[in-house]
Amino acid sequence: MNALSGVDVGTAVEALIQPRLIACVAGHYPDGSSHSLALDDARAVIRSTRTRACVFRAPSPDVVLGELDIDPQHLLDAFDEPTLVVPLLNTTGATSAVSAETLIRQGLKSLDAIAAGSFVFAPIVKLEILMENLTVDDEATIACLSLLSSQLRARTIPLISPSVRVASTVASLGCPALRIVSGRLRQQTGIMQANAIRAAIHAAAGRPVILEGGLSASADVRLAADLGASAVLVNSAFKFTRDPIEKALELRRAADVATWSDGWGSRSV
């Protein structure tokens, strides 16, 4: 695998979104806190949600990927369709445009070194720059995108606030999809500011939009679809529940019956 080569990025994004439910099994935050499912639970959540996302955390200079709570290499055979697994390089821990750009460069090099041959798709960058209160730093996110080459921006899916201005700006920079904050990260708030989210999705100019943050219930998944999202991304809901596997099955059932936006494409992946 070369970091910027591989199957067409549009096909990779469609593969990522097609299950409508994107599951993350570990979280790391700017304040130094983290959570991670036990390996058996993580594998079961992957199977139950039918997610196609394999998330790697971009390492800081003194961390290598193998030192993470869960080594993503231990998860690969839990995916139903290995050839459709999409590696996502997560910039959690970035606090500025420059630090995020550095994490992206370091992370892509690390992925090339440790995951060569593991994936059909080249990695998608899961860009997020959070402040200490876990709100998104939109201006730093836009600045980071401006630092990236057009080729790399075309492989970057940023996390932004539900803002028409920010969504329009990010779309104009050539990102293939957007992630929009739907509630408070790491809190089970459900979807907040539904009208603002709907408007921001419209401002994305036809690009697929993934809702993320505060999602933990079937009703959240159904509302996300009703607002025009193409998929949802769920993380801490799996950790902060009594039974992560049952939660995964609950969300999978909700995603299967929801009516989703198909603005992202008509090809079957």
Side-chain angles (χ1 to χ4, degrees):
M1 177 186 68
N2 178 276
L4 292 179
S5 64
V7 179
D8 170 69
V9 66
T11 304
V13 171
E14 289 184 19
L16 177 68
I17 289 173
Q18 195 276 338
R20 309 297 189 176
L21 179 56
I22 301 169
C24 294
V25 295
H28 303 266
Y29 299 94
D31 63 0
S33 62
S34 65
H35 69 259
S36 181
L37 295 179
L39 182 58
D40 287 347
D41 284 344
R43 292 168 61 86
V45 165
I46 286 170
R47 292 193 187 99
S48 299
T49 58
R50 303 200 303 271
T51 186
R52 292 175 178 174
C54 188
V55 182
F56 292 78
R57 182 188 181 196
S60 61
D62 57 345
V63 175
V64 296
L65 290 174
E67 294 173 350
L68 295 181
D69 297 331
I70 295 178
D71 182 346
Q73 295 291 336
H74 296 161
L75 303 174
L76 290 180
D77 65 353
F79 291 90
D80 286 339
E81 301 173 277
T83 61
L84 294 177
V85 176
V86 180
L88 296 182
L89 178 67
N90 195 354
T91 66
T92 296
T95 57
S96 68
V98 172
S99 66
E101 192 268 344
T102 300
L103 287 174
I104 290 168
R105 285 190 289 101
Q106 292 172 338
L108 291 175
K109 286 182 180 179
S110 295
L111 276 173
D112 273 345
I114 72 169
S118 298
F119 300 98
V120 171
F121 297 116
I124 299 292
V125 176
K126 184 174 174 280
L127 173 63
E128 53 197 58
I129 303 176
L130 304 178
M131 294 181 275
E132 287 189 4
N133 61 0
L134 300 184
T135 58
V136 178
D137 191 333
D138 289 316
E139 300 313 312
T141 299
I142 292 170
C144 178
L145 291 171
S146 299
L147 291 174
L148 302 178
S149 68
S150 59
Q151 184 184 24
L152 190 47
R153 282 201 302 272
R155 288 195 168 276
T156 299
I157 303 178
L159 180 65
I160 63 171
S161 301
S163 160
V164 167
R165 177 187 65 83
V166 177
S168 177
T169 299
V170 168
S172 71
L173 287 170
C175 295
L178 287 68
R179 293 152 52 224
I180 292 179
V181 173
S182 49
R184 294 193 182 98
L185 297 173
R186 211 183 182 191
Q187 300 182 43
Q188 298 180 33
T189 60
I191 291 176
M192 306 169 67
Q193 304 182 66
N195 289 337
I197 290 170
R198 191 191 304 275
I201 290 173
H202 181 73
R207 285 167 173 75
V209 171
I210 301 162
L211 293 193
E212 168 181 353
L215 304 173
S216 64
S218 296
D220 300 331
V221 176
R222 293 193 297 269
L223 179 54
D226 290 343
L227 291 173
S230 297
V232 295
L233 188 151
V234 179
N235 187 338
S236 57
F238 298 123
K239 179 65 177 180
F240 303 120
T241 186
R242 181 183 57 82
D243 187 339
I245 301 168
E246 178 54 38
K247 176 60 65 176
L249 291 169
E250 171 196 339
L251 297 178
R252 180 66 264 164
R253 290 190 291 267
D256 284 341
V257 301
T259 302
W260 296 94
S261 168
D262 282 325
W264 51 273
S266 58
R267 287 178 287 176
S268 295
V269 178

